[in-house]
């Protein structure tokens, strides 16, 4: 089955540990992962990984994508340099294409007004409150939250973040999704047998 690519935003200081579970298993499920940067110039992650974006943000169209993933980055807290990525998230959601944001990217979405009318989470509530956004009453103290096509999570929850992405895109569901989460989050060895059986029959 042909699937549209998943776009992973990359920019200087992006948190490379936050999206690895999601992108690795999406790729194994047949999704092309396309990196999108501010331009096509290389960027460097917090971990020192140098990444050559496959495309510039200006070249990304929601109609050509299955999902936009926005990782955290020091730059989200340093000013408005990454605001174009939050605006792109608005374009995606307006077009009915999902967005997944983790850690500092949730601050960008708060500034853009995208969390004012959706349930959401982040690192802690006062982290988002500092933006002056209008969605404080919709903050949920949870590992990850999905509301109307928008997934949010805090920096310590990359596995829950991936779980919500897989659920939304239908990569895994039900018992298999639960087993995937238990294996990678809880190191539950019994969950491996469930995944192995699903892969064998899939």
């Amino acid at each position: 089955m042909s699937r549209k690519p998943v776009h992973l935003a990359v920019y200087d200081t992006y948190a490379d540990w936050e999206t690895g579970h999601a992108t690795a298993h999406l790729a194994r499920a047949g999704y092309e992962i396309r990196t999108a940067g501010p331009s096509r110039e290389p960027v460097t992650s917090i971990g020192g990984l140098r990444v050559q974006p496959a495309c510039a943000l200006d070249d990304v169209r929601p109609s050509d994508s299955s999902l936009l993933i926005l990782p955290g980055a020091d730059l989200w807290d340093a000013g408005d340099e990454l605001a174009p990525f939050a605006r792109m998230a608005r374009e995606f959601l307006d077009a009915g294409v999902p967005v997944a944001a983790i850690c500092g990217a949730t601050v960008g979405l708060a500034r853009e007004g995208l969390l004012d009318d959706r349930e959401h989470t982040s690192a802690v509530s006062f982290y988002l409150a500092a933006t002056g956004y209008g969605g404080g009453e919709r903050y949920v103290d949870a590992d990850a939250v999905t509301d109307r096509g928008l997934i949010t999570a805090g920096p310590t929850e990359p596995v829950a973040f991936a779980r919500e992405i897989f659920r939304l895109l239908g990569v895994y569901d039900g018992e298999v999704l639960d087993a995937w989460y238990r294996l990678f989050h809880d190191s539950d060895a019994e969950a491996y047998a469930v995944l192995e059986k699903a892969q064998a029959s899939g």
Side-chain angles (χ1 to χ4, degrees):
M1 180 175 66
S2 178
R3 296 182 171 99
K4 294 180 181 179
V6 167
H7 285 86
L8 171 66
V10 292
Y11 19 72
D12 284 332
T13 75
Y14 83 91
D16 35 27
W17 69 88
E18 292 176 342
T19 60
H21 286 284
T23 56
H25 289 273
L26 287 172
R28 284 188 166 184
Y31 286 92
E32 176 191 358
I33 308 299
R34 290 185 57 81
T35 49
S39 68
R40 293 202 64 189
E41 292 299 310
V43 300
T44 304
S45 75
I46 289 177
L49 299 181
R50 195 161 172 80
V51 175
Q52 174 76 57
C55 62
L57 183 66
D58 287 346
D59 297 326
V60 175
R61 300 290 177 268
S63 59
D64 297 329
S65 185
S66 292
L67 172 73
L68 174 65
I69 302 176
L70 299 175
D74 291 344
L75 286 179
W76 284 113
D77 298 318
D80 295 329
E81 186 175 340
L82 298 184
F85 288 89
R87 289 194 291 271
M88 179 59 72
R90 179 179 291 281
E91 288 187 34
F92 266 64
L93 292 170
D94 286 348
V97 182
V99 172
I102 186 169
C103 188
T106 61
V107 162
L109 299 191
R111 292 193 190 108
E112 182 65 20
L114 293 174
L115 305 184
D116 289 353
D117 61 353
R118 285 180 171 86
E119 291 192 347
H120 59 275
T121 194
S122 183
V124 286
S125 60
F126 55 81
Y127 177 55
L128 295 184
T131 68
Y133 83 127
E137 292 184 356
R138 292 183 174 269
Y139 187 89
V140 180
D141 189 9
D143 56 8
V145 173
T146 302
D147 188 358
R148 288 181 294 131
L150 177 61
I151 296 167
T152 51
T156 60
E157 298 293 348
V159 180
F161 184 61
R163 179 198 66 209
E164 294 304 297
I165 289 172
F166 302 155
R167 190 198 315 274
L168 191 63
L169 294 183
V171 174
Y172 304 127
D173 55 21
E175 181 186 32
V176 177
L177 180 63
D178 176 67
W180 183 91
Y181 182 75
R182 287 190 288 112
L183 178 62
F184 286 95
H185 186 267
D186 304 324
S187 298
D188 183 349
E190 293 182 3
Y192 181 78
V194 178
L195 292 176
E196 190 174 40
K197 180 179 178 182
Q199 290 170 355
S201 63

